[in-house]
Amino acid sequence: MLKDFSLSINDGEMVTLLGPSGSGKSTVLKLIAGIEQLDNGDIRFDGESILQTEPNKRGAVLMFQKSYLFPFLNVEENIGFGLKMQGVAPSVIQGEVKRMLSLIGLPGIEKRKVGQLSGGEGQRVALARALVTQPKLLMLDEPLSSLDTSVRMNLQAAIRDIQRELGITTIFVTHDLSEAMAMSDRMAILLDGEVTAYDKPETLFHRPPCVRSAKFVGVDLFLEGEASGGWLDAADVGRVRLNDESKVGRSVFAIRPEHIRIQKEETENSLAGVVQSCLFRGEALEVQVRLGELTTRVRLPMPAPMFAHGENVFVQLPAEYLFEVAA
Amino acid sequence: MLKDFSLSINDGEMVTLLGPSGSGKSTVLKLIAGIEQLDNGDIRFDGESILQTEPNKRGAVLMFQKSYLFPFLNVEENIGFGLKMQGVAPSVIQGEVKRMLSLIGLPGIEKRKVGQLSGGEGQRVALARALVTQPKLLMLDEPLSSLDTSVRMNLQAAIRDIQRELGITTIFVTHDLSEAMAMSDRMAILLDGEVTAYDKPETLFHRPPCVRSAKFVGVDLFLEGEASGGWLDAADVGRVRLNDESKVGRSVFAIRPEHIRIQKEETENSLAGVVQSCLFRGEALEVQVRLGELTTRVRLPMPAPMFAHGENVFVQLPAEYLFEVAA
Amino acid sequence: MKYVIRALLYLVLVAPLALFIVYSFTEGWFFPAPFPSEWTTTTFQRAMDDPRTLGGMWQGFVIAVIVSLLSLILAFPAARALGLRQFRGRQIAWLVLFLPTVVPPLAIGMGLNILFLRVGLAGTIMGVSLAHLISTLPYTVFTLSSAFARYDENYEHQALALGASPAQIFFNITLRMMTPSLVVATLFAFLVSWSQYLLTLLIGGGKIITLPVLLFTAASGGNPSTIAIKSLLFILPPALVIAFTARELNRHGNDIREQY
Amino acid sequence: MKYVIRALLYLVLVAPLALFIVYSFTEGWFFPAPFPSEWTTTTFQRAMDDPRTLGGMWQGFVIAVIVSLLSLILAFPAARALGLRQFRGRQIAWLVLFLPTVVPPLAIGMGLNILFLRVGLAGTIMGVSLAHLISTLPYTVFTLSSAFARYDENYEHQALALGASPAQIFFNITLRMMTPSLVVATLFAFLVSWSQYLLTLLIGGGKIITLPVLLFTAASGGNPSTIAIKSLLFILPPALVIAFTARELNRHGNDIREQY
């Protein structure tokens, strides 16, 4: 499943693995947790391989989309489970559980039954249960995917805060770009078992290094052609001015949909196109425009005029927003 | 489940039912399709009640999140199923299937097995199967929820185009605000079995009529207080200037998170607050600010400076963006 | 390792059959001798000439076919209700259904016999078939209802919305979707009926003689060759039926696997 | 309507029991008479005085307990593999497991008897118990494996990541999660063993006498009171066990419902 996977994470850092379903994100976590076995390769904590360490001694805890709280234990017993298994004294456990419950913002629910918790509360308790054992590594496998939007957004902020406060090294797995950007110090894009990009969210969002990564962060328009003297000869659509005058040779340039403009008249770097569809998206208007052989999405900030299907327009690509990507 | 539900849809219109899980959205569709029975109330097509019509004669087709293509039939047999059941001649069916396949943009896959289709293709074929019987009403129950983002966005545009082209009356059910806004002529917000708002997407997004609807379209800040002479005395946060000078008495005003500004110095309509968290969301920066007892989300367009946890700021609420909502 | 397990399994399946075959065509193979001293078909001939042997096979087959058909007809709606619907008394329904596998068939058989004597069903093929239903229904209902528990009614809802009538839905969708489980359920019903000894003896009252009844009589007699021949005749049809449906079972491997 | 069905079900369950009780304590109740002419405890007394009656119950009970324990121990790992894992030969494993319910116990019993005579297990409680396993294992494996098919291993993975050792996981998580199914499986094993007639007779060879064996002998005799008393003694323990676990079954109603 995983092909060419290599990732190093700094101490106390929060890293997101972002990828579509089936890209192998969860497999990475299961390999680290020891639930699945590595065929070849190595996993190291602080430079030392953990492959020979028994899974329950690795100090890497896992949290899933479902909370997997033990249904026959109450909240306190669930959170204290890890400590109890390690033989910690009940009085110490009690104190730790109390501390954890106030950390996750749910003080006083020690005796609550697991079935009485809402989805969001369940995930908070599961987080407390994971953190109470003071693991070296926290791994979160789409922990918010089954929650409603508002609960989800609150928990995103809460998890980020707790992670920063405890300074715990964390791997967060998600398929949601917005969630990944909000949750990470660094973000790795995982496509077909391969890390195609690994950098700060801001960098990956605005300057993805390759076409595949760019597509995944929402870039839609790629111009391929011969560059020379500050111009790109894109076979499909025509000549486009570039900011970088030194660039020479075959290359691919891209632009984010929210940096593209639509206008009625031809100007520099404007390409003739036909509107395919025009969808209202609240904060933005999303217009599909066909440019010769290509089709691109354009996001116009609201307020913006609606465009009719089949309308002839010019699509303007500001030179300062065009960036190069590896093919 | 449904409490006070009443909705009228014009001929050829596309209406979205938007609501969180468990709000009763799917129940509406099942009642119309005759899969579930109505306790009391009525369902009328063109003014005539269909409650006495047998479910298979109602001319209302349904499409689900899963394609439910019959696994023992190929693509052609699946699309032709409805016509075959009605006794249409095989040669006619063949022609209709061909026409439908080109309509959904997948010509020539007649003999393909259902298991060989991708998720998006499966939904397109399911759409063709529904449309081939020329139903009076097309009902789509979260048909895109299990698809990856890019496929999903393409299909949104495709469904909208096909619906406009055929002029078929359509009810679309979703929990996703962005999808609902893109897909509908009018949009009904369904909360706890009740329609809390029913209007054009642009109107509902910018001027939701009541607090519950406003919360669902992403509004986070509600100021409640006594209005008089163009000012609102909000108990929680202080005095705020209003555009509407005629408003008098107890009222609630709201503002969308992307219309709020954050600044360092106090100005008119600015409230002192403390930054709780600051998350990067790609096109925008999402800042949680505590204002006395209230907490609000602020969306700042990028590029924007990051704010530190605990930073003291002033939150500015431009008077022109404050709008009144029913409590 | 996998091959070893597989080989062992085949050995377990094939070895007794081979032993029965050897015993059937030999005479005087006693313990310390490593190989049978003499091969012969006379015992086999004698067994086949006995009209009770073929008659028993025929009666057992007829009964098993009747039982299979009745089981399917009765089990299908019951399994659908148990697998798909949530209703009060569902657990009681399961309990009643499973009672026959748990309460001794001996007690049931004696009770039924009294009843059937009154209504004139004792000693008839129909009576024995009805009694067999008690043992086969739990299997068929169980098999079909676990398939129905995974059955998605939305396929039927789709067909309904597309204009199919209830009858069209039943034949075009429901039966097609349930085919693999129906095959397995029929197999179970047939084999359980074919192997029934106690109920056949009690209800048949000596008038309905099937192979298991003959086999039990032979077992008391003690001639190993006779026992072996009757066992062979007894085991061959189930083995053939299993082999015949194995392809079907394998083809629908995934469905079956999900079912259990 | 629901109440009618419910009343009918109880009638079906209770009526035979009542009939057995009446027959047990009367003498000379023959067909046309609407009520028994005479109530007596002498037949009951006589049956209880017969040492074979109590001895049969005790032996049957001991065997059923041994069989239940062995069934659980053997079925648990097998059910886990069958319910949770996908492996080649899985269908063959199911087939072998289900063979005993399909291939006649008669044939199996005779084969086992020959084997057990050689190794000295014939006519012993252990021998009979091992033979009973053939009938109980399919039930216990089936019950447990359908629970395992719905079992989510991530509960164990959670415990593992939280630092629990494999043994701690087994006792604190696995067993706790499986409790309802283990109760049902034990119940099945106990009852199937308690009701076994054919294998007990074949392997016991007249030395191991359990109630079903006595009941069958009595059935040949024909005194309705004796039959009724033995039937009563035979049916009461299963009835009590079912009643005793009914509460448990009901409490875990949802788990059980999901299971089937």
Side-chain angles (χ1 to χ4, degrees), chain B residues 253-320:
Chain B
F253 278 77
I255 185 168
R256 290 204 58 84
E258 58 271 22
H259 294 147
I260 306 177
R261 291 288 159 260
I262 297 185
Q263 54 200 30
K264 291 282 168 197
E265 60 289 335
E266 196 166 4
T267 58
E268 192 189 60
N269 273 13
S270 76
L271 309 169
V274 181
V275 171
Q276 297 291 103
S277 70
C278 181
L279 302 177
F280 176 67
R281 293 273 183 200
E283 292 174 49
L285 198 66
E286 188 179 295
V287 190
Q288 295 262 9
V289 185
R290 206 179 59 229
L291 307 167
E293 299 290 290
L294 303 173
T295 303
T296 187
R297 250 175 345 112
V298 179
R299 273 178 78 88
L300 304 175
M302 290 299 280
M306 293 292 280
F307 294 91
H309 181 99
E311 196 172 335
N312 287 305
V313 293
F314 288 94
V315 156
Q316 207 244 335
L317 313 175
E320 68 268 33

XYZ file of all heavy atoms in Angstrom, chain B residues 253-320:
537
model
N -29.483 41.396 16.798
C -28.772 41.666 15.552
C -27.636 40.666 15.401
O -27.066 40.178 16.375
C -28.245 43.099 15.535
C -29.296 44.093 15.115
C -30.291 44.486 16.013
C -29.318 44.605 13.832
C -31.271 45.383 15.632
C -30.300 45.504 13.441
C -31.281 45.895 14.337
N -27.331 40.368 14.147
C -26.281 39.385 13.878
C -25.364 39.906 12.785
O -25.676 40.876 12.088
C -26.915 38.063 13.434
N -24.212 39.232 12.634
C -23.273 39.616 11.574
C -22.504 38.383 11.146
O -22.210 37.496 11.960
C -22.322 40.744 12.060
C -21.420 41.215 10.903
C -21.474 40.279 13.246
C -20.683 42.508 11.230
N -22.229 38.272 9.864
C -21.489 37.115 9.361
C -20.017 37.212 9.758
O -19.451 38.304 9.778
C -21.583 37.034 7.831
C -22.966 36.659 7.293
C -22.837 36.035 5.909
N -21.993 34.869 5.951
C -22.417 33.655 6.286
N -23.671 33.441 6.569
N -21.584 32.644 6.326
N -19.354 36.082 10.020
C -17.949 36.116 10.473
C -17.004 36.771 9.477
O -16.002 37.355 9.876
C -17.598 34.634 10.699
C -18.722 33.842 10.153
C -19.911 34.732 10.072
N -17.317 36.705 8.163
C -16.388 37.307 7.197
C -16.587 38.808 7.082
O -15.829 39.479 6.383
C -16.473 36.624 5.830
C -17.814 36.623 5.162
C -18.664 35.420 5.552
O -18.411 34.827 6.625
O -19.592 35.097 4.815
N -17.602 39.367 7.760
C -17.793 40.814 7.731
C -17.216 41.490 8.969
O -17.200 42.703 9.066
C -19.285 41.158 7.596
C -19.856 40.722 6.292
N -21.154 40.305 6.135
C -19.284 40.614 5.057
C -21.365 39.968 4.877
N -20.241 40.141 4.202
N -16.784 40.718 9.927
C -16.170 41.267 11.135
C -14.702 41.570 10.837
O -14.051 40.835 10.084
C -16.291 40.257 12.295
C -17.758 39.840 12.482
C -15.732 40.846 13.588
C -17.963 38.786 13.555
N -14.185 42.659 11.401
C -12.764 42.982 11.212
C -12.064 42.955 12.571
O -12.696 43.185 13.603
C -12.613 44.380 10.579
C -13.089 44.458 9.139
C -12.126 43.734 8.192
N -12.755 43.353 6.942
C -13.205 42.129 6.680
N -13.089 41.166 7.562
N -13.752 41.851 5.520
N -10.774 42.695 12.561
C -9.988 42.741 13.795
C -8.965 43.850 13.673
O -8.293 43.976 12.644
C -9.276 41.395 14.053
C -10.322 40.290 14.249
C -8.382 41.486 15.291
C -9.727 38.962 14.620
N -8.885 44.692 14.710
C -7.904 45.778 14.645
C -7.280 45.994 16.016
O -7.728 45.453 17.030
C -8.590 47.046 14.127
C -9.819 47.418 14.933
C -10.757 48.333 14.169
O -10.832 48.283 12.945
N -11.463 49.180 14.899
N -6.226 46.828 16.031
C -5.470 47.044 17.270
C -6.069 48.178 18.091
O -5.909 48.227 19.307
C -4.016 47.374 16.933
C -3.244 46.210 16.349
C -2.848 45.255 17.454
C -2.341 43.938 16.889
N -2.336 42.889 17.909
N -6.712 49.167 17.391
C -7.180 50.340 18.124
C -8.710 50.390 18.154
O -9.383 49.803 17.298
C -6.611 51.635 17.521
C -6.976 51.901 16.079
C -6.270 50.952 15.098
O -5.164 50.424 15.466
O -6.803 50.706 14.009
N -9.244 51.109 19.123
C -10.680 51.209 19.286
C -11.242 52.216 18.279
O -10.676 53.291 18.089
C -10.991 51.662 20.716
C -12.424 51.432 21.099
C -12.641 51.569 22.599
O -11.684 51.926 23.316
O -13.767 51.318 23.051
N -12.343 51.871 17.606
C -13.041 52.807 16.724
C -14.534 52.657 16.984
O -14.934 51.968 17.929
C -12.754 52.496 15.244
O -13.166 51.143 15.007
C -11.290 52.659 14.905
N -15.359 53.280 16.133
C -16.794 53.091 16.303
C -17.151 51.625 16.068
O -16.590 50.977 15.192
C -17.573 53.974 15.308
C -19.056 54.015 15.648
C -19.890 54.699 14.560
O -19.882 54.213 13.409
O -20.521 55.714 14.877
N -18.127 51.129 16.851
C -18.567 49.737 16.747
C -17.444 48.726 16.947
O -17.491 47.630 16.402
C -19.239 49.463 15.392
C -20.719 49.797 15.452
O -21.158 50.456 16.411
N -21.465 49.374 14.461
N -16.425 49.066 17.691
C -15.405 48.058 17.972
C -15.536 47.615 19.421
O -15.823 48.412 20.307
C -14.017 48.611 17.679
O -13.607 49.483 18.695
N -15.390 46.315 19.635
C -15.545 45.732 20.961
C -14.221 45.124 21.374
O -13.536 44.475 20.577
C -16.621 44.642 20.932
C -17.962 45.038 20.296
C -18.830 43.810 20.093
C -18.669 46.074 21.165
N -13.859 45.284 22.666
C -12.608 44.713 23.155
C -12.768 43.201 23.291
O -13.785 42.719 23.773
C -12.249 45.327 24.504
N -11.750 42.466 22.877
C -11.829 41.005 22.960
C -10.464 40.379 23.139
O -9.432 41.054 23.045
N -10.453 39.091 23.426
C -9.206 38.342 23.614
C -9.190 37.178 22.624
O -10.161 36.420 22.532
C -9.105 37.794 25.054
C -7.796 37.045 25.245
C -9.244 38.923 26.062
N -8.090 37.039 21.896
C -7.976 35.962 20.905
C -7.879 34.615 21.614
O -7.078 34.443 22.533
C -6.747 36.181 20.003
C -6.513 34.949 19.128
C -6.944 37.421 19.153
N -8.732 33.674 21.199
C -8.736 32.329 21.791
C -7.922 31.359 20.956
O -7.184 30.528 21.471
C -10.171 31.795 21.863
C -11.099 32.588 22.735
C -10.731 32.453 24.190
O -10.138 33.362 24.770
N -11.049 31.326 24.774
N -8.126 31.435 19.641
C -7.357 30.558 18.761
C -7.343 31.179 17.387
O -8.122 32.070 17.079
C -7.974 29.159 18.705
O -9.193 29.203 18.019
N -6.432 30.715 16.563
C -6.240 31.308 15.256
C -5.854 30.185 14.314
O -4.789 29.588 14.445
C -5.121 32.352 15.377
S -4.766 33.201 13.850
N -6.775 29.834 13.402
C -6.547 28.691 12.531
C -6.453 29.131 11.072
O -7.266 29.929 10.605
C -7.687 27.680 12.673
C -7.959 27.115 14.072
C -9.171 26.192 14.038
C -6.752 26.376 14.626
N -5.476 28.594 10.354
C -5.300 28.878 8.933
C -6.268 28.021 8.126
O -6.318 26.814 8.299
C -3.850 28.581 8.537
C -3.587 28.752 7.078
C -3.644 30.002 6.484
C -3.270 27.658 6.293
C -3.399 30.152 5.138
C -3.010 27.803 4.941
C -3.073 29.065 4.365
N -7.090 28.668 7.282
C -8.068 27.910 6.497
C -7.875 28.107 5.005
O -8.831 28.065 4.236
C -9.480 28.360 6.857
C -9.920 28.042 8.250
C -10.511 26.661 8.346
N -11.005 26.403 9.687
C -11.208 25.169 10.157
N -10.952 24.118 9.419
N -11.637 24.988 11.367
N -6.645 28.391 4.572
C -6.424 28.537 3.144
C -6.774 29.933 2.680
O -5.969 30.841 2.796
N -7.986 30.097 2.149
C -8.379 31.403 1.643
C -8.619 32.404 2.761
O -8.713 33.599 2.515
C -9.667 31.281 0.830
C -9.485 30.522 -0.455
C -10.809 30.312 -1.136
O -11.557 31.272 -1.288
O -11.093 29.161 -1.502
N -8.806 31.912 3.982
C -9.122 32.817 5.080
C -8.419 32.371 6.358
O -7.973 31.232 6.472
C -10.630 32.864 5.309
N -8.328 33.323 7.291
C -7.798 33.008 8.610
C -8.997 32.996 9.545
O -9.834 33.898 9.507
C -6.816 34.097 9.036
C -5.863 33.755 10.166
C -4.895 32.671 9.733
C -5.095 35.001 10.577
N -9.118 31.967 10.372
C -10.280 31.876 11.243
C -9.831 32.141 12.674
O -9.038 31.393 13.233
C -10.880 30.485 11.117
C -12.185 30.313 11.801
C -12.690 28.904 11.580
O -12.985 28.566 10.422
O -12.728 28.140 12.550
N -10.329 33.233 13.252
C -9.892 33.632 14.593
C -11.072 33.527 15.543
O -12.160 34.026 15.245
C -9.360 35.084 14.586
C -8.680 35.401 15.908
C -8.406 35.295 13.425
N -10.882 32.847 16.661
C -11.897 32.823 17.715
C -11.566 33.930 18.699
O -10.464 33.983 19.221
C -11.853 31.492 18.475
C -12.221 30.271 17.676
C -13.664 29.853 17.879
O -14.439 30.581 18.497
N -14.025 28.719 17.327
N -12.544 34.815 18.966
C -12.309 35.917 19.893
C -13.357 35.869 20.996
O -14.547 35.670 20.716
C -12.385 37.273 19.166
C -12.017 38.401 20.123
C -11.478 37.286 17.955
N -12.914 36.039 22.257
C -13.872 36.114 23.347
C -14.205 37.574 23.596
O -13.313 38.417 23.779
C -13.333 35.469 24.614
C -14.487 34.973 25.503
C -14.039 34.313 26.761
N -13.225 35.225 27.561
C -12.057 34.899 28.082
N -11.558 33.706 27.896
N -11.374 35.776 28.797
N -15.512 37.883 23.572
C -15.993 39.235 23.842
C -16.835 39.149 25.104
O -18.008 38.808 25.043
C -16.889 39.737 22.709
C -16.331 39.682 21.286
C -17.431 39.903 20.275
C -15.246 40.733 21.118
N -16.253 39.409 26.280
C -17.016 39.268 27.524
C -17.556 37.856 27.646
O -16.789 36.883 27.679
N -18.886 37.722 27.635
C -19.509 36.414 27.796
C -19.581 35.660 26.477
O -19.804 34.454 26.467
C -20.947 36.581 28.326
C -21.045 37.264 29.680
C -20.514 36.379 30.783
O -21.175 35.375 31.076
O -19.426 36.665 31.314
N -19.487 36.407 25.381
C -19.671 35.783 24.070
C -18.353 35.324 23.470
O -17.286 35.835 23.820
C -20.328 36.776 23.105
C -21.669 37.368 23.519
C -22.094 38.439 22.546
C -22.716 36.256 23.590
N -18.438 34.372 22.555
C -17.275 34.006 21.756
C -17.711 34.046 20.299
O -18.816 33.627 19.974
C -16.796 32.585 22.090
O -16.510 32.535 23.472
C -15.552 32.229 21.309
N -16.866 34.592 19.441
C -17.260 34.617 18.037
C -16.101 34.201 17.146
O -14.932 34.314 17.501
C -17.749 36.012 17.611
O -18.274 35.916 16.294
C -16.620 37.030 17.640
N -16.500 33.672 16.004
C -15.530 33.354 14.971
C -15.416 34.549 14.039
O -16.426 35.178 13.704
C -16.030 32.164 14.146
C -15.254 30.905 14.357
C -15.815 29.702 13.639
N -17.148 29.808 13.134
C -17.443 29.832 11.845
N -16.481 29.795 10.941
N -18.698 29.886 11.443
N -14.210 34.856 13.611
C -13.985 35.925 12.640
C -13.227 35.304 11.477
O -12.256 34.578 11.694
C -13.153 37.060 13.254
C -12.901 38.153 12.220
C -13.829 37.615 14.487
N -13.685 35.552 10.256
C -12.939 35.055 9.095
C -12.289 36.235 8.383
O -12.979 37.103 7.855
C -13.884 34.341 8.123
C -14.078 32.871 8.446
C -15.062 32.234 7.489
N -14.448 31.949 6.206
C -13.803 30.817 5.929
N -13.698 29.868 6.840
N -13.277 30.626 4.739
N -10.965 36.259 8.391
C -10.236 37.336 7.733
C -9.697 36.819 6.414
O -9.091 35.749 6.363
C -9.071 37.789 8.611
C -9.450 38.226 10.026
C -8.193 38.535 10.826
C -10.342 39.453 9.969
N -9.905 37.573 5.327
C -9.376 37.099 4.039
C -7.848 37.118 4.073
O -7.250 38.003 4.675
C -9.927 38.127 3.039
C -10.249 39.340 3.850
C -10.577 38.879 5.225
N -7.256 36.146 3.424
C -5.795 36.092 3.351
C -5.331 37.072 2.271
O -6.039 37.291 1.301
C -5.340 34.679 3.006
C -5.541 33.678 4.104
S -4.630 34.054 5.614
C -3.006 33.471 5.181
N -4.150 37.668 2.382
C -3.205 37.510 3.492
C -3.646 38.287 4.731
O -4.163 39.388 4.612
C -1.909 38.087 2.930
C -2.350 39.031 1.866
C -3.636 38.522 1.320
N -3.448 37.700 5.889
C -3.776 38.351 7.146
C -2.715 37.951 8.169
O -2.136 36.879 8.050
C -5.159 37.901 7.621
N -2.444 38.803 9.164
C -1.434 38.438 10.164
C -1.990 37.398 11.129
O -3.192 37.391 11.402
C -1.182 39.770 10.888
C -2.481 40.503 10.750
C -3.068 40.099 9.450
N -1.156 36.491 11.625
C -1.591 35.526 12.629
C -1.739 36.253 13.961
O -1.044 37.228 14.237
C -0.554 34.408 12.782
C -0.397 33.484 11.584
S -1.822 32.427 11.265
C -1.576 31.116 12.459
N -2.662 35.785 14.801
C -2.811 36.339 16.143
C -2.425 35.286 17.166
O -2.652 34.097 16.962
C -4.264 36.777 16.377
C -4.675 37.926 15.512
C -5.255 37.712 14.273
C -4.468 39.236 15.928
C -5.626 38.772 13.465
C -4.842 40.306 15.129
C -5.421 40.072 13.894
N -1.843 35.749 18.277
C -1.421 34.802 19.314
C -2.569 34.554 20.282
O -3.425 35.409 20.486
C -0.212 35.340 20.053
N -2.574 33.379 20.864
C -3.523 33.035 21.908
C -3.390 34.042 23.038
O -2.287 34.320 23.511
C -3.214 31.620 22.408
C -4.150 31.139 23.471
N -5.218 30.312 23.201
C -4.182 31.373 24.802
C -5.861 30.052 24.315
N -5.256 30.688 25.307
N -4.512 34.674 23.479
C -4.467 35.617 24.597
C -4.225 37.055 24.203
O -4.238 37.949 25.050
N -4.005 37.299 22.920
C -3.752 38.656 22.454
C -5.006 39.526 22.608
O -6.121 39.070 22.365
C -3.331 38.591 20.971
C -2.685 39.856 20.460
C -2.111 39.656 19.050
O -1.796 38.503 18.671
O -1.983 40.662 18.328
N -4.805 40.797 23.070
C -5.932 41.713 23.200
C -6.149 42.441 21.885
O -5.213 43.032 21.342
C -5.667 42.726 24.308
C -5.777 42.086 25.682
O -6.800 41.491 26.000
N -4.706 42.164 26.466
N -7.384 42.413 21.390
C -7.676 43.032 20.104
C -9.018 43.759 20.191
O -9.732 43.651 21.190
C -7.767 41.989 18.970
C -6.429 41.344 18.705
C -8.815 40.939 19.314
N -9.323 44.525 19.148
C -10.661 45.105 19.034
C -11.339 44.503 17.809
O -10.730 44.388 16.743
C -10.588 46.631 18.910
C -10.188 47.273 20.200
C -8.855 47.575 20.478
C -11.161 47.546 21.173
C -8.488 48.144 21.669
C -10.791 48.127 22.379
C -9.451 48.426 22.641
N -12.591 44.115 18.027
C -13.358 43.492 16.969
C -14.325 44.540 16.445
O -15.103 45.098 17.208
C -14.100 42.275 17.558
C -15.311 41.934 16.730
C -13.159 41.099 17.659
N -14.228 44.832 15.149
C -15.070 45.885 14.602
C -16.247 45.310 13.828
O -16.070 44.416 12.985
C -14.224 46.797 13.708
C -14.770 48.213 13.638
C -15.206 48.576 12.244
O -14.719 48.017 11.275
N -16.141 49.516 12.144
N -17.461 45.793 14.138
C -18.662 45.298 13.483
C -19.233 46.417 12.618
O -19.942 47.291 13.107
C -19.708 44.895 14.523
C -19.210 44.036 15.702
C -20.325 43.831 16.710
C -18.674 42.697 15.208
N -18.933 46.424 11.303
C -19.426 47.503 10.446
C -20.948 47.558 10.483
O -21.618 46.523 10.313
C -18.935 47.114 9.050
C -17.807 46.161 9.285
C -18.124 45.452 10.547
N -21.487 48.756 10.731
C -22.939 48.902 10.901
C -23.705 48.384 9.691
O -24.787 47.811 9.830
C -23.278 50.365 11.170
N -23.127 48.565 8.482
C -23.883 48.173 7.289
C -24.066 46.656 7.178
O -24.894 46.183 6.414
C -23.218 48.726 6.016
C -21.861 48.125 5.661
C -20.689 48.914 6.240
O -20.859 49.481 7.350
O -19.620 48.957 5.608
